[in-house]
Amino acid sequence: MNTVTRPRILVVGAGFAGVECVRRLERKLAPDEADVTLVTPFSYQLYLPLLPQVASGVLTPQSIALSLRRSKRYRTRILPGGAIGVDPKAKVCVVRTITDKIVNEPYDYIVLAPGSVTRTFDIPGLTEHAFGMKTLAEAAYIRDHVITQLDLADASDDPAERAARLQFVVVGGGYAGTETAACLQRLTHAAVDRYPRLDPGLIKWHLIDIAPKLMPELGDKLGRSAQEVLKRRGIDVSLGVSIDKAGAEEVTFTDGRVVPTHTLIWTAGVVASPLMATLGAETVRGRLAVTPEMCLPGHDGVFALGDSAAVPDLAKGDDAVCPPTAQHAMRQGKKVADNVIATLRGQSMQPYVHKDLGLVVDLGGKDAVSKPLGVELRGVTAQAVARGYHWSALRTNVAKARVMTNWLLNAVAGDDFVRTGFQARKPARLKDFEFTDAYLTPEQVRALVEGKALESP
């Protein structure tokens, strides 16, 4: 009896790129045409641009965690774990499941969309004492931590301890850092009415970046407008400055300043997932070098996209690569799904081309700067565009309803200062959330694939 097996398509990552790819594959492939598996440690898609609003309590964590299991018509098998290595010659992906079991997952076609991790540098104390802003757990943890500092400062009779707990440092003048500082500053500013023992003058936010400009992608005018909004709120913006060393109770800047603080939030950029290095293929600043069709040259059936792939930006030309934004990732996900299907059916693939539609930055309240289609906007109009864009980009109606309800409730009732205490007894920092030490070397991947029998989770 002849057994015919369907082609196996393995998608790694449930971010914007991975989820869009899977949804497209499910819609366009016949049920008996291929088997689709999605590797992800969490059964939800995180809407990353709204993470600072979770940290500040404007949105609940559930509102931006879009379930992958809400629709009954989806037939993709979800493998709960993280890919830690890929052997493109053997066509096997090594997966560590959420129970720490190692699984060798075979494939015929693999779509690599593992996203990015926080970029760090060899700064003494950084990974031990800084918080990141890349995951839902980090955002929820930071909110608890900031409110904890308010509670402890309010209860303390030591002026030095009180002053240190009310100083907050955010490193990174990009979108994530600017929005994080802006949203959390509004939260602590609103705390003055709820903590009468606190001196408002002691609450101090620092936003620093080694770059000479704040959010240079916005252009000089909008960048200056955003900086003026932050300064008007009392946020100390320092450019051309970074961290020299970090401690449990103080941070030293590269300009010599020593800031007593218990809160260091690190958002100084991202780098491609370490998974890309396990293939032993050419990379561009850590991102896998791919063709405009998002194929890996020299490796049959390997596609890569999103933050972890250096996809040529044909709309700009001049050897430019697409920036790691949700806008590109979503569109790349659809195009790579079409190219996988074309390969399955013996058809020609198409290159990815997309012209950037603009940028939006939500600074909380009525403040925002936006640049849709090159038009510079500020204030309430920019805020309406920013929130309208994010709301429309949410994948499910349930998520849209939750986000809109949260926004309306916050506008009417204001901020709350509930500290959940989920991790109150277990301090966690940057090194504890992203598990960047879990990945294998190409040699380890090869040895594991050759030396271990196939396991199932």
Side-chain angles (χ1 to χ4, degrees), residues 203-443:
I203 301 177
K204 186 73 173 179
W205 281 86
H206 302 266
L207 176 62
I208 68 173
D209 195 289
I210 196 65
K213 297 180 181 179
L214 199 67
M215 296 181 293
E217 298 88 345
L218 284 174
D220 291 342
K221 291 183 179 179
L222 284 184
R224 284 197 301 269
S225 295
Q227 191 168 338
E228 289 169 2
V229 169
L230 299 180
K231 288 186 175 180
R232 187 172 68 243
R233 293 189 189 171
I235 298 176
D236 180 25
V237 179
S238 299
L239 300 175
V241 178
S242 188
I243 296 294
D244 186 55
K245 61 180 178 179
E249 297 183 1
E250 68 178 26
V251 172
T252 303
F253 293 174
T254 52
D255 62 4
R257 283 181 290 166
V258 178
V259 177
T261 180
H262 294 260
T263 308
L264 171 61
I265 302 174
W266 180 267
T267 64
V270 296
V271 294
S273 167
L275 178 66
M276 299 296 98
T278 71
L279 282 82
E282 180 186 354
T283 59
V284 179
R285 295 184 179 180
R287 302 170 74 182
L288 208 60
V290 296
T291 68
E293 294 78 18
M294 293 169 284
C295 297
L296 182 62
H299 295 283
D300 179 49
V302 180
F303 298 80
L305 66 163
D307 292 7
S308 288
V311 180
D313 192 344
L314 299 183
K316 290 183 179 179
D318 298 327
D319 297 324
V321 297
C322 296
T325 64
Q327 184 180 146
H328 280 288
M330 293 171 71
R331 289 163 176 82
Q332 288 172 5
K334 295 177 180 178
K335 178 60 69 175
V336 85
D338 290 342
N339 285 341
V340 170
I341 294 170
T343 304
L344 271 171
R345 297 173 179 172
Q347 301 169 350
S348 59
M349 296 185 291
Q350 298 298 318
Y352 170 75
V353 184
H354 171 66
K355 186 176 181 181
D356 203 304
L357 299 179
L359 305 164
V360 294
V361 181
D362 189 337
L363 299 174
K366 298 179 181 179
D367 295 316
V369 289
S370 301
K371 196 175 182 179
L373 301 175
V375 180
E376 297 185 349
L377 302 174
R378 301 168 181 80
V380 177
T381 303
Q383 179 67 280
V385 170
R387 294 202 170 183
Y389 173 80
H390 289 315
W391 186 82
S392 64
L394 291 167
R395 185 171 51 81
T396 68
N397 290 329
V398 171
K400 291 180 178 180
R402 283 176 175 162
V403 166
M404 184 60 71
T405 301
N406 286 175
W407 280 338
L408 293 174
L409 182 61
N410 182 260
V412 173
D415 297 298
D416 71 75
F417 299 91
V418 175
R419 175 164 48 88
T420 62
F422 288 148
Q423 298 171 302
R425 298 293 181 183
K426 185 181 178 183
R429 296 296 187 270
L430 191 62
K431 65 175 184 177
D432 300 309
F433 284 104
E434 298 191 30
F435 309 106
T436 53
D437 58 349
Y439 296 89
L440 307 176
T441 64
E443 293 75 20

Side-chain angles (χ1 to χ4, degrees), residues 8 46-47 70 72 96 103 121 130 151 238 253 276 395 405 410 436 452 454:
R8 297 161 296 187
L46 178 64
Y47 191 82
R70 286 199 65 87
K72 295 181 180 179
R96 187 189 300 276
V103 177
F121 300 97
D151 288 343
S238 299
F253 293 174
M276 299 296 98
R395 185 171 51 81
T405 301
N410 182 260
T436 53
K452 291 192 67 174
L454 184 66

